[in-house]
Amino acid sequence: NAGVTQTPKFQVLKTGQSMTLQCAQDMNHNSMYWYRQDPGMGLRLIYYSASEGTTDKGEVPNGYNVSRLNKREFSLRLESAAPSQTSVYFCASSEGTSIYRVTQYFGPGTRLTVL
Amino acid sequence: AQTVTQSQPEMSVQEAETVTLSCTYDTSESDYYLFWYKQPPSRQMILVIRQEAYKQQNATENRFSVNFQKAAKSFSLKISDSQLGDAAMYFCALTGANSKLTFGKGITLSVRP
């Protein structure tokens, strides 16, 4: 089992460019999440999907869109990147369709720099 | 709203010694899970240990154990026989029956050879 995988590992964008971060899990989990990690801030939830076909906003959704492509894949899109979106992005997944009181398993992260 | 506080930004330990990382939290819920995650320089977030609030017994995983004080809302991580590979950032996190996963700001642990 690869667990949770993310592509790319690194990305540099110019302000205004768009890109999609890809995430896939092979643990047959129902719920998937996108977080961002900034220095001194811990991890903050951007969007989540409690089951295939559903998505919901987290704590910091502005500037992002998501797609739950199927049960395995959950992508994060930046339509017009801004320097404030420079961060490390993590995808995670968990069993069941509840996002509460569950154990989440994380991917290796994507370091994104917006110039 | 629930909060997780890790007040020590950095700690250092001698190889083979024991170190304790502190975490306090606040929640209005009675049913919740607490976690410690490890983030080495590779950036991967690795689950170290989980504690269910309803369990009185402290969780252990090999050299890692917790001291869960529910009344004091304290959840510390003890690492015994510290190894160089334990050097990482450690995050405390909390999720309740009605609240999403909330992380502390993390603590950087260095291990001296």
Side-chain angles (χ1 to χ4, degrees):
Chain A
N1 278 355
V4 180
T5 57
Q6 293 182 234
T7 56
K9 286 187 167 49
F10 302 93
Q11 184 71 48
V12 178
L13 293 177
K14 294 181 179 177
T15 297
Q17 287 185 317
S18 62
M19 79 159 296
T20 300
L21 279 64
Q22 305 286 354
C23 173
Q25 52 88 12
D26 62 2
M27 297 178 282
N28 201 34
H29 284 172
N30 285 297
S31 297
M32 298 185 72
Y33 314 79
W34 277 104
Y35 291 88
R36 61 179 288 172
Q37 182 183 25
D38 301 299
M41 299 286 290
L43 274 73
R44 293 182 293 168
L45 183 64
I46 305 171
Y47 270 95
Y48 64 94
S49 170
S51 62
E52 187 178 352
T54 69
T55 60
D56 284 287
K57 295 178 181 178
E59 183 184 353
V60 287
N62 291 344
Y64 305 95
N65 285 302
V66 291
S67 296
R68 184 74 183 266
L69 304 171
N70 48 56
K71 190 173 184 178
R72 289 187 62 248
E73 298 172 289
F74 188 39
S75 63
L76 178 72
R77 181 158 180 86
L78 287 70
E79 290 292 350
S80 179
S84 60
Q85 295 178 304
T86 293
S87 189
V88 180
Y89 291 85
F90 287 95
C91 178
S93 69
S94 64
E95 284 187 279
T97 54
S98 172
I99 62 166
Y100 304 119
R101 210 186 54 208
V102 293
T103 300
Q104 294 185 24
Y105 298 91
F106 287 80
T110 295
R111 182 177 292 278
L112 175 67
T113 301
V114 183
L115 302 175
Chain B
Q2 61 187 23
T3 60
V4 177
T5 303
Q6 295 179 254
S7 56
Q8 306 156 300
E10 296 178 355
M11 284 197 75
S12 180
V13 64
Q14 189 74 36
E15 196 176 3
E17 297 292 306
T18 295
V19 65
T20 298
L21 310 182
S22 300
C23 173
T24 58
Y25 62 93
D26 191 24
T27 179
S28 58
E29 301 198 53
S30 59
D31 186 8
Y32 52 89
Y33 289 177
L34 289 157
F35 304 90
W36 279 98
Y37 282 91
K38 171 185 177 182
Q39 187 178 39
S42 66
R43 288 202 316 268
Q44 176 85 46
M45 291 287 286
I46 301 164
L47 178 66
V48 175
I49 202 163
R50 182 182 81 177
Q51 175 78 45
E52 290 92 336
Y54 67 88
K55 291 186 178 178
Q56 292 188 343
Q57 188 172 7
N58 288 325
T60 63
E61 286 289 341
N62 301 314
R63 297 183 295 107
F64 298 88
S65 61
V66 299
N67 183 5
F68 174 47
Q69 300 289 330
K70 192 171 183 179
K73 293 184 178 176
S74 169
F75 183 61
S76 59
L77 176 69
K78 186 171 83 171
I79 306 174
S80 304
D81 185 26
S82 296
Q83 301 175 359
L84 295 177
D86 294 333
M89 196 151 189
Y90 288 81
F91 291 92
C92 179
L94 161 70
T95 175
N98 296 292
S99 46
K100 303 181 186 73
L101 190 62
T102 300
F103 287 86
K105 293 184 177 181
I107 178 172
T108 300
L109 176 68
S110 59
V111 180
R112 305 186 302 275

